[in-house]
Amino acid sequence: MSQNTTIPVKVGVVLNMDTWLGKMGLSCISMALSDFYASHGHYKTRLVPEIRDSKRDVVGAAAAALDLLQNEEVQAIIGPASSMQANFVIGLGDKAHVPIISFSATSPSLSSLQSQYFIRATLNDSAQVPAIRAIVQAFGWREVVLIYVDNEYGNGVIPYLTDALQEIDTRITYRCVIPPFATDDQIVKELYKLMTMSTRVFIVHMFTPLGPLLFTKANEVGMMDEGYVWILTDGMTDILSTLDESVIDSMQGVLGVKPHVPRSKELESFKIRWKRTIQNQYPTNESFELNIFGLWAYDAASGLAMAVEQLGATNFSFQNSNISRNSTDLGTIQVSQTGPYLLQSLVSTRFRGLSGDFQIVDGQLHSSAFQIVNVIGKGERGVALWTPENGIVRNSNSTNKADLRTIIWPGESPSVPKGWVLPTNGKKSLRIGVPVKEGFSEFVKVTRDPITNATKVTGYCIAIFDAVMAALPYAVPYEYIPFETPDGKPTGNYDDLIYQVYLQKYDAVVGDTTIVANRSLYVDFTLPYTESGVSMIVPIIDKRSKNAWVFLKPLTWDLWVTSACFFVFIGFVIWVLEHRINEDFRGPRSNQVGTILWFSFSTMVFAQKERIVSNLARFVVIIWFFVVLILTQSYTASLTSMLTVQQLKPTITDINELIKNGERVGYQKGSFVYEFLKWMKFDETKLVIYESPEELDELFSNRSSDGGIAAAFEEIPYVKLFLAKYCSKYTAVQPTYKFDGFGFVFPKRSPLVPDVSMQVLNVTEGAKMVQFERAWFGQTPSCTDLTSSVSSNSIGLNSFWGLFLIAGVASFVAFILCIATFLYENRDALMNLDPPASAWRKIKAMATRFDQKDPSSHTFRKSEMVDRSGINGMDADTASPATNCPPSPSSLSIQTESNFAFFRGQETPSSEYGDPFSPNRQTSPQ
């Protein structure tokens, strides 16, 4: 084969040749092949286009594709133009193993065919859905209307749009489906239907010529004025430059999304050459403009040429080639030998094309970014880009999200439309239903001027609603309509009033309406603006103790007993620690017992006079002083409270007690509390209605058996108002049953609910709420706590067992250390008893030893020095026992020995004959 020999490879081109898309596509394909082989003259393969006209028909497209496969044995087909035509042609390509490459079939439904031989060299319509969702989310629109053509192209993207909008809590209020060949009257009829709805955000998914006709009629009926929002998908955005000037004038302020095409020198050069070429081919038509589909056609042809070249000198043939030409039998369709290889080569082809990066991922062109444009003047202006990584940004070099250029909206308005309006069904303002009631008029009060018969509605709830509506960023006219009969009486209860919103007789309800579950089934509530819950109101009585033994009540009996035992125990431990070294803790037995009790109980008022000299005793006393301080202070505080503070206690604290005793209970007329009480198993015959705080007070003044009530169940706002007037007579007791408080009522899915709820938060968190409460409820006097609970005032052992534990452990440790030290110091005397003594004898001997003074103590050594100095001129041996100075150790020893003489047997010799513990002591006098 010569080096200059090239291999021709036939490829089919199936387009609608009488449409602008077909003419533009064919010219771009021809220029792409010409440019490709001009720059790659050394390539061995050459694509030879076999062109067929589908004649805007599905059957025509299929027949053209079958002819190309059977008679021309093409290795690939570029086209067809529409998704409906591609739906059948894809099946032929799959059967013949021939790649079908479409640069304009964008319907997502084609992806569900699961055909590996279908290559979408364009973007899937669903690729633009995230960009549209980002626009809706950026401006906070919560309701949209979808307008689309009723065919394969229109229906394909709707499921994706629906799912995407649901992810951002935006509801599709209506789907306007336009037939492909709709007349002007049909379009106008649909537009008038849309005008009666409250939603003003429309997403249009159409193609020519239906899309331009829709906007022409929308402009005529006034739907391109201020307040409307129109968003175009890329189907129409891509062809804005080809539309007539009159159509562009009808689309002023429209937003659109389209694939972003990066600027390049190659692209600008191609546009100039293409413009020259197309004018030569069609000199009589001056409105031809190049769009994204032409660029995709150019890149598709270039990519196919690259893929074919990568296969090299391959045998481009079909099986069953003996079939006669001009055959259109589907059962005898031929199979391409090189189709699978060409498919793999095409999928792996990557290059930088005119439209951007050309890369096939999952059988379709990989999407990158979308441009958001605004129709202004005679054309479009880019306002932002959307990228999967950064969302909406100003340009490709920016990373600031939601950074858009200034947008001119329909009606030449620079303000962002809120996306909805009040339904235009003949009303100029919202009809706000308000309850009519005789009692608790601080919340809602309806008065009528006797002269003008004009109705005036005031109250706490009305003031809050007025403040909320005034805080909205847009004006909403409204008027209050009392829910009353001609004679001024209430027409029904609160459930009946709220149900009128569901029946569309009222646009909203404002008043003391509580948010409960069953009402939320047919209306929407805003966020609550009051406290929530239902509480029980009961009378209170003063239970201050007035008996003679009230001083015992601050402490429980177990704490009294424990305290007394510890007083005695601490006194005994101090006596043990001080007895041998402190003169204050010595003397006759009766005196020592008295000292123990006196010292311990005198610590209760810190009046003890005995001197403490032992470090262990000082340690114990310090801890005991801390315990006594806490105990006495607690006792004093509790007793003072019992004697001086008014002990207001509720008469009933348990709801089950009311049910068990069959007591009569009250509830406000028209309130949902009636259903709540029935749910709590109260006897309906025991439920009493009241309408005002004064009537409730009168019911409480009588006993339940005399036609009165024992308790009343009311919502927290009413409870606070009632207790503000009668706080000295009644109180609210726990538990508080959870409900959601008062809220404003709107129809289901009303666009006002989110905005009103937002302003409810702003108002309730500010200083206005305090002003409203003072204006309508007055200054609330100091009353008992709303959720007062009943508990014993007596202090129990469980509050002090930790302190007693610390004192007990410290005392016991000191006691053990003292005894252990004493036994260790006298261990020789204990072991040298002669003859060997019994255990009882040893205990008595050690007791006798313990009862003696400790001569080694610093206290007695100091006393001995004083005695020897002869204070007051007296001889130490003749000192009187009554003197203030302590006697000498020798004289104390003699006295002690004589007192315990029974330890020596029958004789009673004096101690001068020896120590009873000494082994060498004399047993008889000389």
Side-chain angles (χ1 to χ4, degrees), residues 839-849 900 902-903 917:
W840 178 246
R841 179 177 174 81
K842 291 181 180 181
I843 293 174
K844 288 185 175 181
M846 295 309 294
T848 301
R849 188 76 171 180
F900 289 89
F902 60 87
F903 285 111
F917 287 93

Side-chain angles (χ1 to χ4, degrees), residues 891-906:
S891 62
L892 288 173
S893 176
I894 294 173
Q895 294 175 9
T896 304
E897 295 297 332
S898 62
N899 290 337
F900 289 89
F902 60 87
F903 285 111
R904 300 191 179 96
Q906 300 298 326

Side-chain angles (χ1 to χ4, degrees), residues 722-780:
F722 179 75
L723 295 183
K725 296 181 179 180
Y726 304 100
C727 66
S728 62
K729 300 170 62 176
Y730 309 100
T731 188
V733 296
Q734 292 182 342
T736 298
Y737 298 92
K738 184 67 176 177
F739 289 92
D740 284 338
F742 294 164
F744 304 126
V745 181
F746 287 92
K748 272 291 188 181
R749 294 174 294 275
S750 170
L752 270 174
V753 172
D755 294 338
V756 172
S757 295
M758 178 70 70
Q759 298 307 322
V760 165
L761 292 178
N762 293 333
V763 172
T764 55
E765 292 174 358
K768 288 186 177 180
M769 289 299 292
V770 178
Q771 299 175 5
F772 294 150
E773 291 178 359
R774 290 178 179 176
W776 293 102
F777 302 150
Q779 295 289 342
T780 303

Side-chain angles (χ1 to χ4, degrees), residues 120 347 350 358-367:
R120 195 200 304 264
V347 170
R350 290 177 176 83
F358 184 90
Q359 179 182 357
I360 302 300
V361 179
D362 295 331
Q364 58 190 10
L365 189 65
H366 178 63
S367 62

Side-chain angles (χ1 to χ4, degrees), residues 204 215 246 249 256 336 380 393 410 464-465 506 512 534 551 571 574 626 653 738:
V204 180
F215 280 98
S246 61
D249 289 340
S336 173
E380 63 188 58
V393 295
I464 294 178
F465 183 76
Y506 293 139
D512 45 352
V534 171
F551 67 91
I574 298 299
F626 179 72
T653 60
K738 184 67 176 177

